[in-house]
Amino acid sequence: MRVVQRFRPLAVICDLLCVAGPVDPAVQISRAFSQEFFKVERVPSSHKVGTRQKKLGSTFDKKFRQRLSDYLKTMASPEIEQHLAPLRASVKEYGDLVRSLKESGAPKVDIDRAVVELKARKKRLEERELELAPKEAAFDRLKLEDLLKRRFFYDQSFAIYGGVTGLYDFGPMGCAMKANMIDLWRKHFILEEGMLEVDCSVLTPEPVLKASGHVDRFADWMVKDVKTGECFRADHLIKNHAEKLIQLFPYKGCFSDALTVRAIFPRKVARAAGVGYVQPKDKKTSAADRDALVDVLAKLEGFDDKDMQAVIKKFHFKSPITGNELTDPIAFNLMFPTVIGPTGDFKAFLRPETAQGIFVNFKRLLEFNQGKLPFAAAQIGSGFRNEISPRQGLIRVREFTMCEIEHFVDPSDKDHPKFAKVRNYELSLFSACNQMDGRPAETCTIGDAVDKYNLERKQQLAGNGEMSKKRKKEVKKDMESQTCLAGNATSSQVWELGKGAVANETLGYYMVRVHQFLVKVGVDPRRLRFRQHLANEMAHYACDCWDAEILTSYGWIECVGNADRACFDLHQHYKATNVKLTAEKKLSEPKTVQVTEAVPNKALIGKAYKANAKQIMARLAELSAEDVGMLEGELRSTGKAVLTYEGGEAELKTDMLSVKRYEKKVHVEEITPSVIEPSFGIGRIMYAVLEHSFRQREGDEQRTFLTLPPQIAPIKCSVLPISSNLKLEPILEAVREQLAKHEISFKQDDSAGSIGRRYARTDEIGIPFGVTVDFESEKEPWTVTLRYALTMEQVRLQVSEVGRTVQDLAAGRMSWEDAQAKFPKFEQKADA
Amino acid sequence: MRVVQRFRPLAVICDLLCVAGPVDPAVQISRAFSQEFFKVERVPSSHKVGTRQKKLGSTFDKKFRQRLSDYLKTMASPEIEQHLAPLRASVKEYGDLVRSLKESGAPKVDIDRAVVELKARKKRLEERELELAPKEAAFDRLKLEDLLKRRFFYDQSFAIYGGVTGLYDFGPMGCAMKANMIDLWRKHFILEEGMLEVDCSVLTPEPVLKASGHVDRFADWMVKDVKTGECFRADHLIKNHAEKLIQLFPYKGCFSDALTVRAIFPRKVARAAGVGYVQPKDKKTSAADRDALVDVLAKLEGFDDKDMQAVIKKFHFKSPITGNELTDPIAFNLMFPTVIGPTGDFKAFLRPETAQGIFVNFKRLLEFNQGKLPFAAAQIGSGFRNEISPRQGLIRVREFTMCEIEHFVDPSDKDHPKFAKVRNYELSLFSACNQMDGRPAETCTIGDAVDKYNLERKQQLAGNGEMSKKRKKEVKKDMESQTCLAGNATSSQVWELGKGAVANETLGYYMVRVHQFLVKVGVDPRRLRFRQHLANEMAHYACDCWDAEILTSYGWIECVGNADRACFDLHQHYKATNVKLTAEKKLSEPKTVQVTEAVPNKALIGKAYKANAKQIMARLAELSAEDVGMLEGELRSTGKAVLTYEGGEAELKTDMLSVKRYEKKVHVEEITPSVIEPSFGIGRIMYAVLEHSFRQREGDEQRTFLTLPPQIAPIKCSVLPISSNLKLEPILEAVREQLAKHEISFKQDDSAGSIGRRYARTDEIGIPFGVTVDFESEKEPWTVTLRYALTMEQVRLQVSEVGRTVQDLAAGRMSWEDAQAKFPKFEQKADA
């Protein structure tokens, strides 16, 4: 059980959606069931989709053989929709149930139970969608992984020492690709949006992360083998054991449906629904125990340590490896601890996110921006999370590169000046509402999505909603509250409001910019969607959150979180430090306020406290009216008063200060800004791009290649001499000079292989362009051929034109068609 | 006492050379003496240099008022040389003494004592050189620091939580500057030299750093206050106390001379040399104690924990803060410890350098390079060192960005193919020889420096050196040894050989490239030198090391270490993992070797071990001849034998393998490559560049500006409307569009200040170019003025030309003179 899910936005979804690959023991049981299920599954052979399905179904037997869904395409087919309709209905049923439970104020445990069921049905629907994906979406992960390892894109760290799970080293290819992505990110966001970039410390003192909530809540529950000390995630262990004991088996429908229908309804209902039990292998599991365990599975997500402990005790769960007893659940904090300095008592952690570094610098950044809101700060850097047992390659790691933006904005005005420019940009939005209704993601302009929100909100305020009286009152109160959340919708409102609507223009603007970035770096837009958080996924303070999810062979992976975090973080750091993290906002009309001020007698204080006088007077200036009053009272009654200031304590006497009271017109008010945060996991995006760009040549499946966008490709150009004849060397030298002059990264391959084999080698690592020096090259003026990997077409051009041409092609200033129009075509005998 | 100094190349020099600024208590005593000394010092007023000197001397009273030396210029003046001559002679005296002691095989303690004295004299000489620096080198560090903080280049991390020493956050200016430097580094080294860039984990398991020597030796000795737990560096504490007790005071000559002459010679000799004692304040210090303490100071550098403990016990040294007892010296490892995973027993550290990540990936990188030597790998990333009490801003920090190159090369052939191109490049070389002779750094071509080495080496091998017989024999043995050091000179040879000579072409080539890089990013070449390590500074395995040192107000700071690390690292990791980290080298003629091979019976092993058979056969293939022999013996005597392999143990039977013995001609031999390592501390270089580019406008000292090279400047261009009149907005928009289109970072300043004040604001942060939109701009076609901050000159050009022009200027493709020739000059009334 993840104690608080909100702190790990990048790590949640794949847990749910992982369909295969190496997994921990906790999910092997359900894997076995899935495989069984897929074998039983038959689709009529007359059915076109079915034929594909059959072929695909069989691939599940091969361990790493995976499929990719061409999601939107799939959705467009009525045949497939026919298959999905019942599943969609089953999701909607529970979406409606959850809504009515909430509406009627049902107990939390009932709602949670219903949400668990809702999620299971959603998952089932999604899996089915993936199963029905067309054949061209098939994808061989093993082949890609082999390539990435062999050509050293990345590989496990410290392999010669046995390796460490969750740590990866990027080789020359991966490193250049990552650097190119970050470079593009910097241009796309920091430069184009005029953001303030910062670079903060990884080492973070404990109090900072205490304030942010990470020390207390960034944890998983864990149990240990009492003898070996081996660790297990408590929720995984319970799920594992419980499923084994229940031994539910579907003879109609599917496993997850059976399990969850049973979780909600009594045995009879389940039978009626066509779901039954197989005889449990372990005869000792009584029907009563079984029912209790089903109940546990339904509630597991909401369990705390005591609940889990009770289950482990009651059912005598042991270590699945040794059979030994287990400890009570311990909260295992996912941050890496360390200490700063020699004494050992200055506790610190490696930062779990870069965001906190921006928040603690808010004042400096605001000042840098000359006190004006809105502004955005950004940071590119490493984050660290001590996962209990990381798997899934770059998807879940212990050390990762993040790019985070914190956009600070007036909470009562979240409009964005550039929103008009993107208003008609279309996104695939998978709203909370559609998720609950079992409907797929929908394509919609961002303008419409934001308008819808504003419209609904207006209607609600006007009392036209269909809420209960109580809810209406609550929402109204939230809306009008003068707390730091003023102007934000709170999460409870979103539950009502955010059905496919994006909460404000700034959030919407960033969603568009995120989409543009992802497509630019090579994510297939058809496998990209924005999924809105359901109310129980969202942090308690956030008012809207849309994850950019990318479909890979691991399922839909969250790669960019886009959240409106309201003022939570700044407020927490203010509470911890008493340093005001606010901005000044001009009032529409001036306001009269009462001022109580301590006026120091500078001469006397200076004489008494010398070097410390300045600090003392600064402290006096920042006292609140109340403090001044207390000080005054003390001086009056005793003739002296103690003031605590940065440098120590000072005893003040009556003649050292006077108190002034007066009225003042103020033209500004202090506000705590809201924060809109897009947060990028670079490694995940990189992996998704690699999957999406991985291709096999038609007719030669062994020959794979990567269609990376030239801007992202680790190497832009290959240089290939047709033979090792030394007379080609001066021409090669001229080509290399051309490329170096234009700052183009290139790789010369003068190995002995045939030119075709060498082309294949360069295509394999996604080098988009290739210059070949052949025997025709020698004729003055020297010429070479230029090849485009994607189409394998070639043109012939002069050496002196090579640098500029490849530079323009690589930067996207020239298309391959342009190059073909400009230079004569070169025909080759055979490219293999 | 730093237990092993070699691991901290970046942190050594500034300790010695720091002349003022906040310091720890350990050096305050000697500071007091220095100040006294400077006050007494008088130079005849008729003397030009002296006049300056007097003025400068007085600035030592102001706490942060610092001077910068224009080093080479100073050296050129005969007047100054006259002042330095006696100091130079005093250094040479000890250089000669050290040599003769070494030559005569004197005991180590005597040599160490003489080296301590040599160093003290060197320091004194250097300080004097700085004192005699011309006035224009005066520099106000306080002003620069204020600027860097105020405009948020960087500042202490977590300031609102009280801050953490040694941790800094880079704001928008510092972050962009750092990113630009790294970008340039990547182009200058990785792209132009075709290096393999990697990006490895920060988290590093203990065994890796055990092998590299960091776990055992990357430490400082520390003592703790037994009551408060306060920590002190043991060597600092002893030095502090001892100096206090000795209370030596010079009445002729200077403090350090007096102290160190006394350290070597008996009291009478010191008296004769014109150095005497003042009466100690603490009358209890006997003459015997005093002599013992002088001896301690001389030997301190070579002390281990027991030596230091004995001193502390003997003289009853207490905590200087509380007077409490102290613990025994504890080795305080400077790495940050943490644990990976949930069990708590997987110990790890944050990497103290990025180099190890490259070494552990050597095999993959070699393979990536198709098995060929030489090649270079590079890494840009964070390093972490848990300093006991860091000071001096960016010079000594706990978290820092490093750029490291590991160039792997055949140890018997360290020539570099591009060396001919740089042979005539001149560097300022401060050789070990010159350091020992009290001579300054010399300008010399790198070609000559390398030639000299080869010449000397040849002579030595021919027996023409003036070494003792014993030494000659040792050197010869080293030279001819067939160990992994073959072809490397060892450190003991360097002691003899490396007098101003650079050990090989590859090291020399990198020194030139490092120099070119540093000048490109804005280091003043006159304040840049390469200092060769003295024999006792160098790591025991390194055969030559030249630090690029930059002169700043903190003294000469080591910013880039350039070392020939031989094969130490690869060899250590091989020893720890048993994974061969070697390359294959073609033999000039084939060699015949005996082969003993275990030939498996694949069918039988496959049948018996199924899935594990592959691993077992792989293990058999890698057995040594000896192992095969043992296996054979066991099989013969017992009919079975146990083989340990990756997957476990296998029992092999007689029929499962046969043993084959034959002769083989081999064409390659295995070699462990040598490593040449340039290692950059980016923060230090950045600070040096900021100091070197900091200027005050003539006639207006309050108006400071930075003359950063445009490629490094955080922001390339400012955009300034002459008024807030709305009709200028369309022109401003057009300018911004031009700049954005050409990817130029810019900042618009439309604050209310006068145009002159806004120019000053942009100059202050080193924005090299400024576009001003004035009322003339409106005339069609729109024009604006373009201003060059360095000269404050302006030209007028069309808005449509702005983007390309600023882009070319910023990239160095166009000079300001070119721009002036191309566009009409614009004269302004007053720029203030």
Side-chain angles (χ1 to χ4, degrees), chain A residues 606-636:
Chain A
K607 207 174 152 191
Y609 290 100
K610 309 230 156 56
N612 292 328
K614 211 173 149 188
Q615 282 188 319
I616 292 170
M617 287 187 284
R619 179 78 184 109
L620 284 174
E622 68 187 24
L623 290 180
S624 68
E626 201 184 342
D627 289 341
V628 172
M630 278 168 61
L631 202 64
E632 192 185 20
E634 216 175 319
L635 284 172
R636 249 187 226 153

Side-chain angles (χ1 to χ4, degrees), chain A residues 211-366:
Chain A
S212 70
H214 288 85
V215 170
D216 295 329
R217 286 176 290 172
F218 189 60
D220 282 343
W221 292 114
M222 177 179 84
V223 288
K224 284 191 186 189
D225 185 316
V226 289
K227 287 190 185 150
T228 67
E230 199 151 4
C231 300
F232 307 93
R233 256 181 72 169
D235 55 341
H236 284 185
L237 181 119
I238 291 174
K239 186 160 173 271
N240 204 348
H241 276 297
E243 287 181 352
K244 206 169 172 182
L245 286 177
I246 292 169
Q247 289 279 0
L248 270 172
F249 210 87
Y251 49 77
K252 191 176 158 191
C254 74
F255 173 67
S256 72
D257 272 344
L259 177 66
T260 46
V261 165
R262 184 68 195 92
I264 307 293
F265 302 103
R267 198 159 172 164
K268 271 183 198 170
V269 180
R271 281 253 162 84
V275 181
Y277 304 92
V278 290
Q279 282 305 310
K281 281 179 191 163
D282 182 351
K283 302 279 184 190
K284 282 176 228 161
T285 308
S286 69
D289 276 357
R290 222 160 38 210
D291 283 359
L293 285 167
V294 166
D295 197 48
V296 162
L297 285 177
K299 292 177 185 169
L300 194 51
E301 196 159 335
F303 271 17
D304 64 13
D305 54 337
K306 278 174 201 142
D307 298 332
M308 288 196 274
Q309 194 184 337
V311 174
I312 291 170
K313 284 266 154 68
K314 180 173 174 190
F315 294 98
H316 311 291
F317 289 161
K318 304 280 160 59
S319 159
I321 314 280
T322 62
N324 294 333
E325 292 287 329
L326 297 166
T327 64
D328 294 346
I330 314 153
F332 175 65
N333 193 293
L334 296 174
M335 292 192 294
F336 286 99
T338 190
V339 286
I340 298 176
T343 59
D345 48 18
F346 190 147
K347 280 190 200 166
F349 297 97
L350 308 190
R351 64 180 176 198
E353 59 179 23
T354 66
Q356 301 305 324
I358 297 178
F359 298 135
V360 297
N361 277 303
F362 171 74
K363 265 174 78 101
R364 289 166 176 163
L365 291 166
L366 181 67

Side-chain angles (χ1 to χ4, degrees), chain A residues 149-152 155-161 163-165 167-173 175-176 178-179 183 186-187 191 196-205 207-208 211-212 222 224 229-231 332 336-344 346 350 356-357 359-361 363-365 367-370 372 382 384 386-389 398-399 401 421 572-573 576-577 579 581 711 715 733 740 743-751 761 765 804, chain B residues 149-152 155-161 163-165 167-173 175-176 178-179 183 186-187 191 195-205 207-208 211-212 222 224 229-231 332 336-344 346 350 356-357 359-361 363-365 367-370 372 382 384 386-389 398-399 401 421 572-573 576-577 579 581 711 715 733 740 743-751 761 765 804:
Chain A
K149 200 181 166 81
R150 191 164 36 80
R151 304 301 297 272
F152 203 4
D155 207 346
Q156 197 173 34
S157 299
F158 311 110
I160 64 171
Y161 282 84
V164 182
T165 51
L167 293 183
Y168 288 88
D169 287 348
F170 291 85
M173 294 295 100
C175 196
K178 196 170 132 187
D183 196 45
R186 199 175 251 132
K187 278 180 191 146
L191 196 64
L196 310 182
E197 187 181 353
V198 295
D199 182 9
C200 306
S201 297
V202 164
L203 294 163
T204 308
V208 177
S212 70
M222 177 179 84
K224 284 191 186 189
E230 199 151 4
C231 300
F332 175 65
F336 286 99
T338 190
V339 286
I340 298 176
T343 59
F346 190 147
L350 308 190
Q356 301 305 324
F359 298 135
V360 297
N361 277 303
K363 265 174 78 101
R364 289 166 176 163
L365 291 166
E367 204 175 307
F368 187 87
N369 205 46
Q370 297 171 290
K372 281 182 282 189
S382 293
F384 297 81
N386 197 6
E387 299 286 348
I388 292 178
S389 60
R398 285 174 165 151
E399 187 178 333
T401 302
K421 284 189 187 172
Q572 289 296 104
H573 290 297
T577 62
V579 175
L581 301 177
Q711 278 187 282
I715 298 175
E733 174 64 26
E743 296 184 351
I744 298 159
S745 60
F746 65 90
K747 190 179 163 77
Q748 180 164 332
D749 185 349
D750 39 19
S751 60
R761 275 179 60 85
I765 53 173
R804 173 67 68 178
Chain B
K149 202 181 163 81
R150 191 163 36 81
R151 304 301 297 272
F152 204 4
D155 207 345
Q156 197 173 36
S157 299
F158 311 110
I160 63 169
Y161 281 84
V164 182
T165 52
L167 294 183
Y168 288 88
D169 286 349
F170 290 86
M173 294 295 99
C175 195
K178 196 170 134 188
D183 196 45
R186 198 173 253 135
K187 276 179 192 148
L191 196 64
M195 293 176 177
L196 309 182
E197 188 181 352
V198 296
D199 181 8
C200 307
S201 296
V202 164
L203 294 163
T204 307
V208 177
S212 70
M222 178 178 82
K224 284 192 187 188
E230 199 151 3
C231 300
F332 175 66
F336 286 98
T338 191
V339 286
I340 298 176
T343 60
F346 191 149
L350 308 191
Q356 300 307 324
F359 298 134
V360 298
N361 277 303
K363 266 174 79 103
R364 288 166 178 163
L365 290 166
E367 202 175 310
F368 187 87
N369 205 46
Q370 297 171 291
K372 281 183 282 189
S382 293
F384 296 82
N386 196 5
E387 299 286 347
I388 292 179
S389 60
R398 285 173 164 151
E399 187 177 332
T401 302
K421 283 189 188 174
Q572 288 297 105
H573 288 299
T577 61
V579 175
L581 301 178
Q711 278 187 283
I715 298 175
E733 173 65 28
E743 295 185 354
I744 298 158
S745 60
F746 65 90
K747 188 177 163 77
Q748 181 163 332
D749 184 352
D750 39 19
S751 61
R761 275 178 61 84
I765 52 174
R804 173 65 69 177

